[in-house]
Amino acid sequence: MNPYPLTSFEKALDLVLQHTPRLDAERVVFHEALGRVLAEDVHATESLPPFQASAMDGFAVTADDPTEWREVVGNQWAGPAAALAVSPGQAIRITTGAPLPPGAEAVVPVEYAEETGGQVRFDWAVKPGDNVRPVGEDIAAGQLVLPAGVVIGPAEIGLLASMNRLHVPVYRRPVVAVLSTGNEIVEPGAPIVPGQICDSNRYTIMASVTQAGGIPLSLGIVPDEEAALRRAFDYSLAQADVLVSSGGVSMGERDLSRVLIEEWGTVHFGQVKQKPGRPTVFATVDRPEFHLRRLIFGLPGFPVASLLSFENLVRPALRHMAGHTRLFRPTVKARLTHPIRRKATRIEFQRARLEQRDGEWHATVTGLQTSGRLLSLAGANTLLRLPIGAKHLKTGEVVTAIRIDQPEQ
Ligand code: AMP
Ligand code: MG
């Protein structure tokens, strides 16, 4: 018998988030911060533009000047300010982005100018400020530009660059040690004898860690032997923020992971009332002397079960660690294209394909839903969250569909 009470899925998720710490911040070069979460407010140290700049190619002039033909006294190209000033009766050739010369109050576009023999006249009624970008038009010095908690995207990277911010504080990405357990598990590519199977879990989980914004650390395949498992656990707790193992958490003779997790950490749940993925263990290990908290997730061995437990329980934790506040994927209401009959004693996540037709979402389950059949996940873009008690679902019935092809929002 599994010694742990069956924890509801909602309670399990609650326990995970309650015990998951936010990681500390690190400084990274701004253009390497894509997808990271800003840990502190970023204020502008300078105004943008930092100087009065021309918004057009043309002529910089004073505003209140009745002279018809003005003398062109020089050029101010975009770049360092030339030692030039403009007075009434004069004009300076200027390009877009160039600093406005002293004395200038407006820029007349070149299209409205007639230039001949060092003189220029305009078909333009000059007003102060014409085609001039004032200091701080985009950003004022001291302004809060990016608040803590913002997820850095291309526009944020551009803003950091324009503000000359070389480094930014962002939350660390969780390092996640991933290991597979089982005497029957072998590395893909190795020769296989009857009774052995290739390790798929470590690869699906490492890929999922990367997708969730974490850094996977492969700890390989560990046989069902106490000493080997102990070494692997020890190493991962030293090297990683999170340990995700798969296999060895049910009630088999050699299911040692569960026993070791109990010995190392505080178990918060050991069985979840979900299908698939019932034997899922979550524990924390605290090392107060190092101000450290490690998370351990013992996932089931069955490939679909381990991947779905990762998606529903581990992924939100990794995102919280990395500073995200949006932890869940969007859901939509979808109509079933066929009936579903089930036992309905646990919350169930069925893999399905979601399609939009006539302004409505329609969901079709991807074949046999056994917890070992990875093929049911390949090509699935949604998980149908089917509640306890709903035994017979009819064609056209509306269910909740989690969009696993969409980021959290
Ligand atoms: P266990 O939870 O260790 O009893 O494993 C349950 C089932 O999942 C068994 O059929 C295992 O062979 C299979 N399994 C366990 N680990 C893996 C893995 N890393 N990759 C693929 N299948 C696995
Ligand atoms: Mg096993």
Side-chain angles (χ1 to χ4, degrees):
M1 270 294 287
N2 191 315
Y4 293 107
L6 254 180
T7 304
S8 75
F9 171 76
E10 292 79 7
K11 175 79 183 161
L13 182 58
D14 232 41
L15 285 165
V16 167
L17 295 179
Q18 201 179 309
H19 289 96
T20 298
R22 182 130 298 161
L23 296 178
D24 42 350
E26 62 181 354
R27 293 175 77 73
V28 302
V29 175
F30 74 97
H31 54 80
E32 289 179 355
L34 185 66
R36 307 287 291 273
V37 181
L38 201 59
E40 289 167 24
D41 290 347
V42 171
H43 291 88
T45 49
E46 282 186 54
S47 299
L48 212 72
F51 50 86
Q52 279 201 314
S54 175
M56 299 286 258
D57 295 332
F59 293 86
V61 292
T62 60
D64 193 15
D65 182 359
T67 320
E68 189 187 1
W69 284 96
R70 306 184 203 210
E71 186 193 354
V72 180
V73 294
N75 303 318
Q76 175 62 68
W77 309 139
L84 274 178
V86 66
S87 320
Q90 299 180 330
I92 290 175
R93 270 189 219 93
I94 194 163
T95 55
T96 307
L100 213 63
E105 294 165 291
V107 171
V108 179
V110 69
E111 296 87 337
Y112 296 87
E114 179 191 346
E115 195 183 355
T116 177
Q119 306 270 304
V120 66
R121 76 168 174 190
F122 305 123
D123 181 17
W124 178 277
V126 181
K127 292 186 302 307
D130 282 351
N131 301 309
V132 174
R133 299 183 61 214
V135 173
E137 183 182 46
D138 296 344
I139 295 171
Q143 186 184 332
L144 173 62
V145 179
L146 299 173
V150 150
V151 182
I152 309 277
E156 287 72 22
I157 287 180
L159 273 168
L160 291 164
S162 39
M163 292 187 300
N164 204 2
R165 270 293 289 249
L166 190 55
H167 294 98
V168 279
V170 291
Y171 290 103
R172 213 155 53 68
R173 302 162 65 194
V175 176
V176 183
V178 184
L179 63 87
S180 291
T181 68
N183 290 338
E184 78 280 28
I185 311 296
V186 294
E187 193 63 47
I192 283 199
V193 299
Q196 293 183 322
I197 57 163
C198 282
D199 183 6
S200 61
N201 289 351
R202 189 157 41 96
Y203 293 99
T204 52
I205 292 169
M206 288 199 298
S208 303
V209 167
T210 303
Q211 264 189 351
I215 302 169
L217 177 67
S218 175
L219 291 197
I221 300 163
V222 183
D224 294 315
E225 284 162 23
E226 195 182 321
L229 210 51
R230 214 173 259 288
R231 266 199 309 279
F233 271 41
D234 205 12
Y235 180 80
S236 74
L237 291 173
Q239 300 290 320
D241 300 297
V242 182
L243 165 62
V244 178
S245 72
S246 72
V249 285
S250 11
M251 289 299 109
E253 191 96 346
R254 306 199 68 91
D255 283 341
L256 289 165
S257 303
R258 194 176 51 76
V259 177
L260 268 189
I261 292 172
E262 274 167 32
E263 183 191 312
W264 285 64
T266 307
V267 176
H268 301 290
F269 57 79
Q271 268 202 100
V272 181
K273 207 167 176 184
Q274 64 175 355
K275 185 179 178 185
R278 176 170 158 156
T280 294
V281 182
F282 170 60
T284 46
V285 178
D286 286 301
R287 297 277 165 80
E289 66 275 29
F290 302 126
H291 306 284
L292 280 185
R293 160 163 286 188
R294 305 301 203 203
L295 308 185
I296 304 180
F297 291 92
L299 304 185
F302 281 113
V304 177
S306 67
L307 189 48
L308 292 198
S309 272
F310 181 95
E311 168 66 32
N312 292 323
L313 293 167
V314 185
R315 185 178 160 106
L318 299 187
R319 288 184 56 86
H320 175 75
M321 293 177 107
H324 289 278
T325 48
R326 292 173 177 174
L327 303 182
F328 305 108
R329 310 240 205 210
T331 58
V332 294
K333 295 287 178 197
R335 285 191 190 282
L336 293 175
T337 62
H338 51 78
I340 294 178
R341 282 178 168 266
R342 50 191 283 265
K343 269 169 73 185
T345 53
R346 293 177 265 163
I347 192 172
E348 186 170 356
F349 299 97
Q350 291 212 359
R351 286 73 76 198
R353 190 83 211 149
L354 205 54
E355 267 157 343
Q356 203 168 26
R357 257 179 281 124
D358 312 321
E360 275 194 318
W361 290 104
H362 299 267
T364 307
V365 164
T366 52
L368 194 63
Q369 298 286 304
T370 50
S371 59
R373 188 174 169 264
L374 260 186
L375 206 54
S376 69
L377 257 173
N381 59 2
T382 193
L383 296 178
L384 304 182
R385 186 165 60 207
L386 308 177
I388 293 170
K391 276 188 175 173
H392 303 311
L393 297 160
K394 299 189 217 55
T395 301
E397 201 152 329
V398 174
V399 297
T400 301
I402 307 168
R403 306 262 335 245
I404 52 173
D405 58 346
Q406 298 283 312
E408 286 80 352
Q409 35 185 257

